[in-house]
Each structure stands twice: as structure tokens, then as C-alpha cells.
Amino acid sequence: MPLRSDWSHRSCSIARGLDILGDPWALLVLREVFFGNGRFDAMKARLEVADSVLTRRLGGLVDAGLLEKRAYDDGRRPRQEYVLTPKGEDTLPVLNAVSIWAEKHMPAPADRAHMDVVHSGCGQRTTSADTCTACGARLTAATTSWHSRTRSDQPIQLSTAAADGAAA
């Protein structure tokens, strides 16, 4: 028995979107890939998730066309890492919106437990998911950084969709 209903053919676009993005693990996996953390072991450690859960979510995101696998060599054996596709990169405003909403409405458990969306072009924090509120420029993965104080003292430039077999 499936864990939930299949909403992929619903007439409501929100329901269809939630069919893929409605699982919190899916959004957290995408967060890691946007942060440039696309290797299974690194994601597993950062997310503190079971292998089976991560494997299922990665498979679902690959099947949905949001991520693709890319080979890399770690010196021991060939391995796969996950990179964004253009379709996956288009989820950026969704993740930005969740982060901005949480920063506004959910108390952080610690001073360092904050994440700001920063427009790399002007260097300013934004309170919009798709447009810089300081300069009005459109936010894309190439022009957006996330400042997660638990990861870095400086904003981290986001990964973009894979291009010609290599991350852009």
C-alpha cells in the first residue's frame, strides 16, 4: 500500500507540485544539492537520515527530473553524485520561500540557526523568494547565496544546474 495518494494527475497545480515537493526529505535533499553537497555520504551525514530514506528520495528526485547522477572518481572506485537539472534549479524560489517564511514566523532554536537568502549581485539579504528586495533583480541559483550560520560565517554561492556533464 502506498504511503499516500498519487496527486500527479490532479487538476490542481498545487497538488501536482506537492506530489514531488510535498515530502520534507525531498526539499532537504534539494537544499543539500543547492549547497553543493551532492554526494550520498555527505548528504547522509548532514541530514542524519537512514540510507533507505535517502536512497528513495534521491531516486524519486531523479525520476522526476529534478536531479541527475554524475560520475566522479574518489580514488577508490567510480561513484555517483547528484546535481541539479534545469527543472531542479527551478525549485529555488520554493526553497527560498520556505526559508524566508520560517525566518519570519518560526523561532530559531539557537542564535546560529538562521538562514538568509542573499542576492549575490548586490550582496543584500532579500525577503522575496524570486526577486531581490534591495535592487529588484531576479533571483536565480547563479545570482543567489544562502547564508546558513550553522555552515559558514559567509554566504555560500548556490550550485546551478549541470551543464554539458559538469556542474555550472
Side-chain angles (χ1 to χ4, degrees), residues 4-17:
R4 62 171 177 79
S5 300
D6 177 357
W7 297 345
S8 63
H9 299 292
R10 297 277 180 117
S11 60
C12 174
S13 57
I14 293 173
R16 290 191 311 273

Side-chain angles (χ1 to χ4, degrees), residues 13-156:
S13 57
I14 293 173
R16 290 191 311 273
L18 287 173
D19 195 56
I20 297 170
L21 299 176
D23 176 5
W25 284 117
L27 293 180
L28 293 172
V29 167
L30 287 168
R31 177 197 69 192
E32 290 307 306
V33 177
F34 271 110
F35 267 128
N37 191 22
R39 295 182 178 180
F40 187 92
D41 290 339
M43 275 193 271
K44 181 182 177 218
R46 186 73 190 186
L47 294 172
E48 298 177 354
V49 62
D51 285 4
S52 60
V53 172
L54 183 55
T55 298
R56 274 194 312 273
R57 285 356 182 252
L58 287 166
L61 292 169
V62 169
D63 290 347
L66 277 67
L67 298 178
E68 65 185 24
K69 294 179 185 181
R70 183 178 62 199
Y72 75 93
D73 187 351
D74 68 355
R76 296 180 299 200
R77 61 185 170 98
R79 299 182 75 142
Q80 301 284 323
E81 66 183 335
Y82 296 86
V83 295
L84 294 162
T85 64
K87 185 176 178 180
E89 188 174 321
D90 282 348
T91 65
L92 178 63
V94 176
L95 275 72
N96 283 347
V98 171
S99 178
I100 290 165
W101 180 86
E103 283 295 321
K104 182 176 180 180
H105 296 289
M106 303 299 296
D111 287 342
R112 294 188 55 80
H114 291 281
M115 188 170 92
D116 294 323
V117 177
V118 178
H119 176 226
S120 303
C122 70
Q124 297 299 307
R125 179 178 161 266
T126 184
T127 56
S128 170
D130 62 354
T131 305
C132 178
T133 50
C135 72
R138 182 174 168 268
L139 298 176
T140 66
T143 65
T144 303
S145 299
W146 285 340
H147 188 191
S148 170
R149 291 170 189 86
T150 60
R151 290 180 190 251
S152 172
D153 289 334
Q154 298 298 316
I156 298 170

